[in-house]
Amino acid sequence: MMGIAPQMLALQKEGPIARVRTAEEDAWLVTRYDEVRTLLADRRLALSNPNPGTAAKSAARNFMVALMAGDDPETESTRHAQMRALLVPRFSTRRMRLMQSRIEEHVDELLDAMAASTPPADLHHALSFPLPTMVICDLLGVPLADRERFGQYARGTFDQSDDQHAADTFQQVVDYITELVARKRTEPGDDLLSELITEADGALSDAEIAHLGNAVLLFGYETTIVRIDLGTLLMLRNPAQRALLAERPELAPAATEEVLRLGVGGKGSNAIIPRYAHDDIAVGDTVIRAGDAVMLAIGAGNYDDRAYPDAHRLDLTRTRPKSHLAFGHGIRHCVGRTLARIELTAVFERLFRKLPDLQLAVPEESLRWQEHRITGGFDEIPVTF
C-alpha cells in the first residue's frame, strides 16, 4: 500500500541510474539520493521535451506541464522564472505566519467535530480533504462554499485514465478562476489574486493572473491531502513513534519531515519527477544524451540508506537528517512548501492528542490507492477513535 516498488530499490542497489521502458518512451531512471538531488538542480534538465511530438502524453500530463510553463522548450526558462518571481513573494514568511493561526483553528474545529461524531468516520472527508481546501480558499480569496466543488478539480484534471474528463475539468478550473479574477478587480480582498492584480502597477492581464491562479489552485491542495492520509497511516503503523508524538507534540515538525520523506503511496508513481535532457549530462559512467527522457525518483532517493541510516524506518528523533526531496530541489523547488509544512505540523501536533484511540476501521490492504491520478491518493480512510 505504501513504499517504493521493490524493482526500483533493486535497481538502486545496482547503481544510481538505469535504462527503463515506460508506457510512453524509453527513459533513464535515477534512484539514488545524491544523483537525484544533483540532477534536480541541473539546468540542462528541463520539464519541456526538446523533441515535442515524439511521445504521446495523457491530457492530464500535458495540463500539468503547461501549468508549470514547461510546454515550450523555447520559452520555458523565461516563463518559469517569471511565474516564480510573481508567486514566491505571495508565500512570504509574514503571510505564512498570519495563515498559521487560521490553519491551527481549522484543524482544531475539524478534529473537535470528528471527536463529537459517532465512529466509524472517514478521516479523508473529516480532516485530510477539508483542511488543505480551506487553506487554498483563504489564499486565493475563494468563497468557502465553493470548497467541495473545486476540491474535485485536481482529481479530474490530473486523471490520466480519461482524457475527455481531464479536459472538461481543466476547462471548469479555467472558467472558475477567470471569473474570480474579474470579480477581484471590482471587489479586491486580502488574497493572492487581488495582489497580482495590483502587481507591477496593474501590468498583468486577466489571462496571466488566471494562469497563476490555476497553478496555485491545482497544485495547492491535493498533494497535502494525500500526505495527511499517508502520514496518518505511517503513524498508525508505528505505534511507538505515534505514542512519542502524542507525548511530545514539539516533535510534530520532525514528524512532518518524516511523513514527507516516507509518504509514498501505491507503487510510488506519485514520487517521480519527469524531465528531459536539453544537453548531454554525465552521471557516473553513464551519459544521458540531449533529448533523452529522465525520471528522477525522489521517493526512492528518500528511501536511500546512503542518505538516511535505516531509511525505511519512521524515526522522529533523527539527528540533523539531510533535507528530503519531497518538494523537489533547485529551480523548481515547490513554492508552497512552507504552507504545506504548516498544515502538516498543525495536524500531527494535534491528531493523536485529540483522538488518542484512533485506529483504522478496515484492514490497510483494503484501502484503494488511485493509481490513475498523477497525484495518486485515497478516496476514503475509514477510522474508529
Side-chain angles (χ1 to χ4, degrees):
M1 190 79 273
M2 206 186 316
I4 307 297
Q7 311 92 286
M8 205 181 279
L9 293 171
L11 288 173
Q12 186 186 68
K13 275 200 175 67
E14 287 169 30
I17 184 168
R19 196 75 172 141
V20 295
R21 174 92 193 136
T22 71
E24 289 144 349
E25 58 200 340
D26 291 322
W28 293 105
L29 177 69
V30 187
T31 50
R32 287 186 184 173
Y33 177 92
D34 285 344
E35 286 79 3
V36 171
R37 195 164 190 273
T38 301
L39 287 170
L40 280 167
D42 193 318
R43 287 172 182 266
R44 292 170 295 179
L45 274 186
L47 188 55
S48 57
N49 185 346
N51 313 311
T54 51
K57 292 279 193 275
S58 66
R61 180 66 66 188
N62 290 336
F63 294 140
M64 183 173 258
V65 168
L67 282 166
M68 297 167 81
D71 45 348
D72 180 351
E74 299 300 314
T75 61
E76 176 179 4
S77 59
T78 314
R79 281 175 57 223
H80 176 246
Q82 286 166 345
M83 275 185 78
R84 282 191 81 88
L86 289 165
L87 287 180
V88 169
R90 311 278 86 87
F91 290 83
S92 66
T93 313
R94 178 188 155 273
R95 171 174 263 143
M96 294 304 105
R97 263 208 296 270
L98 287 171
M99 289 189 77
Q100 182 169 350
S101 53
R102 290 280 306 265
I103 289 166
E104 290 170 349
E105 282 168 28
H106 285 324
V107 175
D108 285 331
E109 284 163 18
L110 292 167
L111 288 175
D112 284 343
M114 199 169 155
S117 71
T118 308
D122 178 0
L123 179 96
H124 179 82
H125 280 279
L127 174 69
S128 315
F129 175 85
L131 177 68
T133 49
M134 283 169 164
V135 171
I136 286 296
C137 285
D138 288 347
L139 191 62
L140 289 175
V142 169
L144 260 181
D146 289 353
R147 197 176 83 226
E148 278 299 324
R149 181 167 138 214
F150 84 63
Q152 301 306 323
Y153 284 168
R155 301 196 152 183
T157 301
F158 299 140
D159 182 346
Q160 300 191 88
S161 67
D162 186 338
D163 282 356
Q164 190 58 54
H165 178 50
D168 291 346
T169 311
F170 185 56
Q171 190 55 52
Q172 287 178 286
V173 178
V174 173
D175 293 346
Y176 180 84
I177 293 288
T178 304
E179 191 186 312
L180 192 59
V181 172
R183 200 160 76 228
K184 296 285 176 194
R185 283 201 181 272
T186 54
E187 304 163 32
D190 180 15
D191 57 72
L192 187 145
L193 294 177
S194 300
E195 283 178 21
L196 289 169
I197 287 167
T198 61
E199 182 75 26
D201 297 326
L204 295 177
S205 69
D206 276 21
E208 289 168 312
I209 297 166
H211 178 88
L212 293 164
N214 294 337
V216 170
L217 176 66
L218 287 169
F219 296 132
Y221 62 92
E222 188 67 39
T223 47
T224 310
I225 293 171
V226 173
R227 292 296 166 148
I228 296 171
D229 283 342
L230 286 172
T232 304
L233 292 176
L234 268 168
M235 290 294 169
L236 292 176
R237 206 189 285 162
N238 290 275
Q241 293 294 301
R242 166 209 174 143
L244 187 63
L245 178 60
E247 188 188 311
R248 295 175 55 195
E250 70 275 11
L251 287 174
T256 291
E257 297 312 304
E258 282 288 82
V259 162
L260 286 162
R261 183 176 75 81
L262 293 170
V264 176
K267 302 186 182 83
S269 53
N270 69 322
I272 288 176
I273 293 183
R275 292 287 183 262
Y276 288 94
H278 284 233
D279 210 335
D280 290 359
I281 305 170
V283 178
D285 301 333
T286 304
V287 178
I288 299 169
R289 296 286 173 205
D292 284 357
V294 181
M295 289 157 54
L296 301 173
I298 55 173
N302 284 336
Y303 275 73
D304 186 348
D305 286 323
R306 292 163 201 78
Y308 301 97
D310 205 358
H312 285 67
R313 199 176 80 241
L314 175 78
D315 181 359
L316 308 192
T317 56
R318 287 184 183 274
T319 44
R320 309 231 311 277
K322 288 177 185 282
S323 56
H324 57 71
L325 306 169
F327 293 121
H329 175 61
I331 56 166
R332 286 189 174 274
H333 202 188
C334 173
V335 171
R337 61 190 182 276
T338 305
L339 190 55
R341 283 185 162 113
I342 291 170
E343 292 177 63
L344 291 165
T345 301
V347 166
F348 291 112
E349 231 165 30
R350 291 162 174 75
L351 181 60
F352 298 107
R353 308 196 89 193
K354 182 71 77 174
L355 302 170
D357 300 320
L358 187 73
Q359 291 297 341
L360 280 178
V362 295
E364 193 180 324
E365 310 75 73
S366 72
L367 300 176
R368 295 186 59 88
W369 180 260
Q370 304 299 315
E371 201 67 52
H372 61 283
R373 296 200 291 254
I374 293 176
T375 45
F378 301 99
D379 288 340
E380 56 174 357
I381 307 272
V383 292
T384 58
F385 43 87

